[in-house]
Amino acid sequence: MSINGVPFITLNRFENGFREEFLAGVETLFDNTQFIGGPQVAKLEEKLKEKTEAKHVVGCANGTDAIQIALRGVGIDKDDVVLIPDMTFWATFEAVVNVNAKPVTVDVSRETLHWDKETFKEAVEKFKPKAAILVHLYGWGCPDTMEIRKIAEDNGVILIEDGAQCFGTKVHGESLLGSAKVATTSFYPAKVLGASGDAGAIFSTDEQIINTCRTLINHGRTSHYSHGLIGWNSRIGAYESLFLNMSLEHIDARLDSRRKAVKYYQENLQGLPLKIQEVPSHVEENGYCSVALIDPDLRGPLIESLKAANVGFGTIYPGAMSKQEAAPKYMAGSIDNGNADYISKAVLNLPCYAYITEEECEYVCQVVKKHFSNS
Ligand SMILES: *Cc1c(COP(=O)(O)O)cnc(C)c1O
């Protein structure tokens, strides 16, 4: 075998001609001094609608802002209680605190690694939240999405979906970003649809919500020097939008290559003490991450073998939200069944990125298999 290592992620696998086309586009934007707003941003919002089947979309500066703005956009205010999963990226927690609301962390399922409808219902009844943020992690959709949307609606809980990792995913055939009442995403460069810098977007089936978000993103402006709301500066940049517009032309091929890698691991790493998670058949994943679960006591030694063979890995995420040093001061409660904590010690992510080759996946599998045959 001709390779001697595989990174956890690399961003350098572009299609032929992508670099030249992007740099030419940057030149045009520069020459026209189109730095913020303009045709690339308008085009991006249209393309995102097309691709996600969303009714309304607004771009913004990053995925964390997108959550904050969505929270404010649906009317979340000081001291409102908001449920969030105990297993997510910290930005979900931060966004709630940054709008002066109070997060309640709710445990996830050990089987699906996401919220399950029973625990969600229990939390709704116990904490009577004003809103909840359903997070779709790992490039999957939460398998209980439809049930959770229904429970939220029946109980008057506003549901926001943090889809920072779920671009291109479906549950029961429905695009998550397109069918959510309000969803957000991140175009951080390492996400499946990454930009050339920070960027994000908000999606909604409700035009009024998007109009409010559009105002919040731009200093609460009602005209250039009239301000109807206290907002933010969270506008999306033109270079990032150009890069995203070009990336959207190739997104299907990029996602296919990732899904193929996840499948390769599933098929070639069977019968080992580590289990590559599979999504249920009603969920269509985008191949963002390969997720393996392994006994926490066996994870450390395997990581040592991966390191020795130059195989990159991730542990997404290595700690529950409620266990973070900054968390307790802000939490208004929690449901903790120990699952998020367990998952944080048991998850291992293998290399996965756009256009990862079969040779690279094979190398990773050989290192993993060799580790277990020696241990
Ligand atoms: C990446 C991510 C975010 C934050 O997005 P940024 O663009 O980095 O601000 C929020 N939530 C989840 C689940 C993420 O993965």
Side-chain angles (χ1 to χ4, degrees):
M1 190 165 291
S2 59
I3 54 174
N4 55 12
V6 180
F8 174 53
I9 180 172
T10 173
L11 302 181
N12 69 6
R13 304 278 163 98
F14 291 109
E15 296 79 10
N16 283 337
F18 190 98
R19 178 179 182 277
E20 292 73 19
E21 190 186 336
F22 176 63
L23 294 178
V26 165
E27 210 164 84
T28 304
L29 288 170
F30 182 87
D31 290 342
N32 296 336
T33 58
Q34 258 158 1
F35 303 129
I36 290 199
Q40 290 295 342
V41 175
K43 184 174 165 188
L44 174 64
E45 290 178 355
E46 283 313 308
K47 277 173 103 85
L48 286 172
K49 272 194 237 176
E50 228 172 82
K51 208 70 203 170
T52 62
E53 297 161 39
K55 279 215 181 98
H56 309 283
V57 176
V58 60
C60 66
N62 58 68
T64 311
D65 278 10
I67 306 170
Q68 286 166 196
I69 290 156
L71 283 162
R72 285 279 309 286
V74 301
I76 293 306
D77 216 331
K78 193 168 170 10
D79 294 339
D80 286 338
V81 169
V82 180
L83 306 181
I84 64 162
D86 205 10
M87 178 48 62
T88 176
F89 177 57
W90 182 240
T92 319
F93 191 106
E94 274 177 326
V96 175
V97 175
N98 282 337
V99 300
N100 296 311
K102 293 182 163 169
V104 167
T105 56
V106 178
D107 211 350
V108 294
S109 150
R110 216 179 263 217
E111 278 71 52
T112 70
L113 318 183
H114 286 75
W115 266 350
D116 61 78
K117 52 185 183 287
E118 292 81 12
T119 315
F120 180 72
K121 190 154 187 281
E122 181 193 337
V124 164
E125 284 163 3
K126 184 163 177 205
F127 295 101
K128 313 235 174 320
K130 176 128 178 221
I133 304 178
L134 170 61
V135 183
H136 305 287
L137 286 184
Y138 316 118
W140 310 347
C142 168
D144 282 0
T145 296
M146 299 309 167
E147 293 86 347
I148 286 170
R149 286 180 182 175
K150 174 98 175 40
I151 294 166
E153 194 178 343
D154 290 349
N155 290 275
V157 176
I158 304 164
L159 193 70
I160 293 171
E161 299 183 35
D162 177 352
Q165 303 183 11
C166 85
F167 190 91
T169 62
K170 291 182 176 172
V171 171
H172 290 298
E174 290 205 47
S175 154
L176 285 178
L177 294 176
S179 62
K181 187 174 164 67
V182 191
T184 62
T185 201
S186 162
F187 302 124
Y188 177 73
K191 304 280 155 110
V192 289
L193 177 60
S196 49
D198 279 315
I202 304 164
F203 303 78
S204 182
T205 51
D206 184 328
E207 190 173 12
Q208 190 52 50
I209 292 175
I210 286 292
N211 288 344
T212 307
C213 291
R214 201 179 279 287
T215 305
L216 286 168
I217 279 162
N218 194 13
H219 299 295
R221 276 194 167 111
T222 48
S223 70
H224 195 68
Y225 285 121
S226 303
H227 306 275
L229 295 169
I230 300 294
W232 284 269
N233 168 9
S234 185
R235 296 174 299 234
I236 188 168
Y239 295 141
E240 287 76 13
S241 299
L242 163 70
F243 190 93
L244 286 166
N245 282 327
M246 287 180 49
S247 299
L248 277 162
E249 297 294 323
H250 304 287
I251 192 69
D252 293 340
R254 291 184 190 179
L255 298 193
D256 276 350
S257 70
R258 288 169 173 275
R259 290 190 195 106
K260 243 169 88 182
V262 171
K263 200 147 178 255
Y264 187 94
Y265 292 138
Q266 277 162 359
E267 285 170 357
N268 289 278
L269 291 174
Q270 290 182 6
L272 299 174
L274 113 167
K275 179 177 170 290
I276 305 285
Q277 289 284 113
E278 289 188 42
V279 296
S281 59
H282 67 281
V283 177
E284 201 178 304
E285 65 183 320
N286 65 17
Y288 179 55
C289 274
S290 94
V291 180
L293 283 187
I294 179 168
D295 183 321
D297 290 338
L298 302 180
R299 189 170 77 170
L302 175 57
I303 283 174
E304 288 313 311
S305 292
L306 293 173
K307 279 183 183 161
N310 282 321
V311 173
F313 62 91
T315 52
I316 300 176
Y317 289 101
M321 294 301 98
S322 57
K323 304 288 184 288
Q324 302 304 308
E325 189 185 338
K329 180 171 157 194
Y330 298 101
M331 281 166 57
S334 67
I335 290 184
D336 184 355
N337 301 320
N339 295 337
D341 203 37
Y342 174 80
I343 292 163
S344 73
K345 296 179 171 72
V347 160
L348 186 70
N349 308 95
L350 295 174
C352 192
Y353 41 86
Y355 306 126
I356 185 170
T357 65
E358 188 165 317
E359 189 187 24
E360 288 170 321
C361 294
E362 191 187 340
Y363 181 86
V364 173
C365 289
Q366 283 186 1
V367 171
V368 172
K369 283 192 269 197
K370 187 156 161 252
H371 169 83
F372 287 117
S373 67
N374 290 345
S375 59

